Amino acid sequence: MVKNLTVGEPLKVILFFAIPLFLGNLLQQSYNILDTLIVGRTVGRNALAAVGSTGSLSFLILGFMNGFGIGAAVITSQRFGSGDTEGVRKSFAATIIISIGLAVVLTLIAAFGAKPILLFLQTPAEIFDDAYLYISIIFLGIPTAMLFNLFSNVMRAVGDSRTPLIFLAIAFSLKLAINLLFIYVFNAGIGGVALSTVMAQLVSGLLCLLFIIKRMPVLRLTLSDWRINIGEITKHIKIALPVGFQMSIIAIGTITVTYALNILGTEAVAAYSAAAKIDVLAYMALFSIGGAMTTYSAQNFGAHRIDRIRKGVLHISAVACLYSILMVLVFIFTGHFFPSIFLGKDSIETLSMSNNYLVICSSFYIFLAMLFIIRQSLLGMGDSVTPTIAGIMELVMRIFAAIILGKTFGFIGICFANPLAWVGAIIPLVIAYIIRMKKLKTEELNCPRINADS
């Protein structure tokens, strides 16, 4: 099931690796969308707003965890690309040890911090109890989310993006069944929806673990692999921690947006929540391409195939830009159709607000496409600092849009939070990428090596 991404035509290799990532990300996002759809249609608009109001808080904690896992897997992927199988296993063992400690710390922080943050964000009183119940259950399930995050990332690091997709599909089916049971049989409401997510995460994580033990010898750990010195742990933390912080920095900006929306009222929260779910689905293909570029560039960097990284970035960028243009046209001509899936057709004003959000954001997808591709390529080459700087730029631009533009132009101003963040983040990334590739090209010229471009 493992796959070497250092050979083959770059565009084809990246796309074939990205397709399972896209479907997997789609299923993961569908967890949240399913919650939104069921809650909005069965429990009510206030419950929908409650789920939506916790999105940024969830991203703050879970985003850090996911970013940390992606960063740690970069070292595993680089060693796999260089053919260092013992180093791959050592990296896997180090990641497990770090992840266990991280899961404990994040669960404690989230469990005690959820209520104060919801209060600080001025969560409307009519949705506060539901929001707190939902996010509390999600946070108590952090270890189950960490389980899947850990094993799926290391599987992708060695080139297997298909198997995690299969296990996600199983977990998604299970979540759907449990959701229906809790909502329609036990009348568990919003708490049942959150609990079904945690249970599905646990199942997908355990399936990944069993598969690694039975079918992936390159990741099968021996007693000697657990003999890890502090240097190995430090090496992983040095690259993983900045990536985790980068995701949290982005989340803080999103929390600021939530704060601004809460001030505007429940209708604005509901409109933004519904549109944001659709927005994430629309750019999920771009996000998945970025994920593929992390493994692709990491393996090729480990194999000293810098020429392939350069060619891969160029070719996949052209494809991503064409997709971005297509999505703009889709949202311009589909009107209120997509938001009505969540809100119903009677909420005319809310539908109009959601549609404005989608048209504005999709118009900037080209910037988002380049952000994902360049950021993840730099990460794959071991640069976790520049993506963090880009995250800070995103934070500044989101706060500006949420506070300044939101106060001046209301909901429309807040809709520009994400686009402005993408534009701000791409600037340091492009500069760093150009400098990095020139430096690597110079090193290649000084230390020539045979580079078959197959």
Side-chain angles (χ1 to χ4, degrees), residues 3-20 161 292 296 299-300 308 316 454:
K3 185 174 179 59
N4 188 344
L5 305 185
T6 65
V7 295
E9 202 283 317
L11 180 60
K12 183 178 179 181
V13 168
I14 295 168
L15 287 176
F16 273 91
F17 190 80
I19 288 173
S161 60
Y296 174 83
Q299 285 195 16
N300 282 281
R308 285 179 58 81
I316 202 64
S454 57

Side-chain angles (χ1 to χ4, degrees), residues 30 41 89 104 127 155 301 308 318 377 393:
S30 295
R41 289 304 183 99
R89 295 195 304 271
V104 173
I127 65 174
M155 292 169 74
F301 184 78
R308 285 179 58 81
S377 296
M393 290 292 293

Side-chain angles (χ1 to χ4, degrees), residues 57 99 172 204 240 284 330 358 361 389-390 396 399 406 448:
L57 180 54
S99 297
F172 179 79
S204 58
M284 192 57 66
V330 168
L358 292 172
C361 285
I389 295 173
V396 172
I399 291 176

Side-chain angles (χ1 to χ4, degrees), residues 11 43 80 95 101 114 186 235 248 286 322 350 398 401 407 442:
L11 180 60
V43 186
F80 180 80
T95 304
F186 298 126
K235 185 181 298 183
S248 291
L286 303 177
L322 288 175
T350 310
R398 277 199 177 91
K407 184 177 180 179
T442 301

Side-chain angles (χ1 to χ4, degrees), residues 49 222 228 234 244 249 279 306 325 342:
T222 63
I228 300 170
T234 303
I249 288 170
D279 182 38
I306 308 305
I325 294 171
F342 299 101

Side-chain angles (χ1 to χ4, degrees), residues 153-198:
N153 276 324
V154 77
M155 292 169 74
R156 292 168 186 143
V158 297
D160 186 0
S161 60
R162 185 176 60 181
T163 303
L165 167 64
I166 295 172
F167 295 150
L168 271 176
I170 295 172
F172 179 79
S173 301
L174 177 64
K175 175 179 170 59
L176 178 59
I178 297 174
N179 247 332
L180 296 175
L181 180 67
F182 282 164
I183 292 291
Y184 292 105
V185 177
F186 298 126
N187 196 28
I190 201 169
V193 173
L195 186 58
S196 68
T197 297
V198 174

